[in-house]
Amino acid sequence: MDTETDTEGSYHWQLMRRAIARLDAGRDLTLEEIAAEMGLSPAHFHRTFSRWAGTSPKRFQQYLSLGHAKRLLEERRTTLETADALGLSGTGRLHDLFVTWEAMSPGAYARRGEGLAIRWSTGEGPFGPLLAMATGRGLAGLAFTAETGVEAAFDDLAGRWPAAAFVEDPAALAPYLEVLDTEVGGTRLHVMGGPFQIKVWEALLRVPQGRVTTYAEIARAIGHPGAHRAVGTAVGRNPIGGLIPCHRALRASGGLGGYHWGLPVKRALLADEAARTAP
């Protein structure tokens, strides 16, 4: 990837990360206050923030508020079985990304990656540092590493396939490290998981950008209405952050629940999608 683009993306993420952490402290901040804490003039901060987020700092702060998740459930919750029929896909960045995916065969899954070559690399994305893994058939893992660190994220993804051979290959992985910052295009996913996990991830792919669902709703959609806790576990095991949108799954109470790659990233993803799909 272009070095200047990488540096700019990293700067924007660090700015957003610091702002999110500060806004999470609870008290509403004026533009002047948050800009001063970020070390920028109000105009510079507003311009940079709005260019990255697609909305003003004040509006974004509303999306990050504790009540936003509850409002999403009240106003923008989707019924998975009817989402496509209702035309809820919208034109947002992530949902417009055409994803072609296939699940690893049961036999290959059982072999835990034996005979499989998995290439990997690290880089920067619009929501911070990333680790990507891919097989010859497509993207197999995408982790946000700001909270976990690269080593822990690598061990997490690689540990699912202990018999595979892992090869660092920045050139081969460069396109995959840019998928979250792509307006339109195509990305092949090669998903590795058990049958129940696959069903959960398929359900997540039917949740449109800017909308949310609950673990219980996913459980009903896949025909296991009493399995919301198992659904939560499967959501947490999603290996492809962002593209398989586990960040759109919330608790029925409106709470954010957990997020495997850190709640700051989940909040940023939801706020970004809300900003891009707001009327």
Side-chain angles (χ1 to χ4, degrees):
M1 291 186 290
D2 182 82
T3 302
E4 184 176 349
T5 301
D6 288 353
T7 301
E8 183 181 12
S10 179
Y11 166 71
H12 287 170
W13 163 247
Q14 292 301 329
L15 179 71
M16 289 290 294
R17 181 175 170 76
R18 289 166 55 204
I20 289 169
R22 183 64 186 89
L23 294 172
D24 274 348
R27 183 175 70 85
D28 288 346
L29 298 174
T30 66
L31 173 62
E32 289 74 19
E33 287 173 331
I34 188 65
E37 292 196 20
M38 297 301 107
L40 300 175
S41 70
H44 187 189
F45 177 76
H46 189 281
R47 182 170 59 253
T48 302
F49 194 101
S50 298
R51 185 170 65 247
W52 191 94
T55 191
S56 69
K58 181 177 180 180
R59 189 73 180 271
F60 201 91
Q61 183 168 301
Q62 293 172 349
Y63 295 140
L64 284 171
S65 69
L66 294 176
H68 178 57
K70 291 184 178 179
R71 289 195 298 272
L72 279 174
L73 281 178
E74 293 169 357
E75 302 170 6
R76 311 191 76 178
R77 180 169 170 177
T78 180
T79 301
L80 292 174
E81 295 91 336
T82 60
D84 292 335
L86 292 175
L88 298 178
S89 60
T91 57
R93 184 183 65 194
L94 294 183
H95 203 77
D96 256 4
L97 189 65
F98 180 73
V99 173
T100 301
W101 80 307
E102 64 175 296
M104 179 170 284
S105 69
Y109 177 74
R111 290 194 295 272
R112 310 297 288 170
E114 182 179 357
L116 187 67
I118 299 180
R119 301 185 182 279
W120 69 275
S121 187
T122 59
E124 287 286 338
F127 300 96
L130 296 169
L131 166 69
M133 292 186 175
T135 71
R137 295 186 178 182
L139 182 66
L142 190 66
F144 299 97
T145 62
E147 293 289 307
T148 64
V150 173
E151 184 175 352
F154 183 91
D155 289 345
D156 183 326
L157 294 178
R160 307 177 193 211
W161 310 103
F166 292 88
V167 180
E168 186 173 8
D169 191 341
L173 271 294
Y176 293 119
L177 288 166
E178 297 174 353
V179 295
L180 292 177
D181 205 17
T182 302
E183 294 293 337
V184 293
T187 299
R188 290 193 61 84
L189 307 184
H190 191 198
V191 179
M192 301 182 284
F196 184 85
Q197 292 173 327
I198 294 296
K199 287 184 178 181
V200 170
W201 301 339
E202 284 178 331
L204 288 170
L205 284 167
R206 296 200 301 272
V207 180
Q209 184 182 35
R211 302 238 169 201
V212 294
T213 188
T214 65
Y215 303 126
E217 186 174 271
I218 293 172
R220 289 193 297 270
I222 65 173
H224 296 276
H228 57 276
R229 289 187 179 179
V231 164
T233 299
V235 168
R237 291 289 288 172
N238 166 31
I240 304 179
L243 290 185
I244 297 180
C246 52
H247 58 278
R248 297 176 193 159
L250 307 179
R251 292 174 177 165
S253 65
L256 286 175
Y259 191 62
H260 195 64
W261 309 116
L263 284 178
V265 174
K266 183 171 186 173
R267 285 190 290 269
L269 286 165
L270 287 171
D272 179 68
E273 291 188 0
R276 294 177 186 280
T277 58

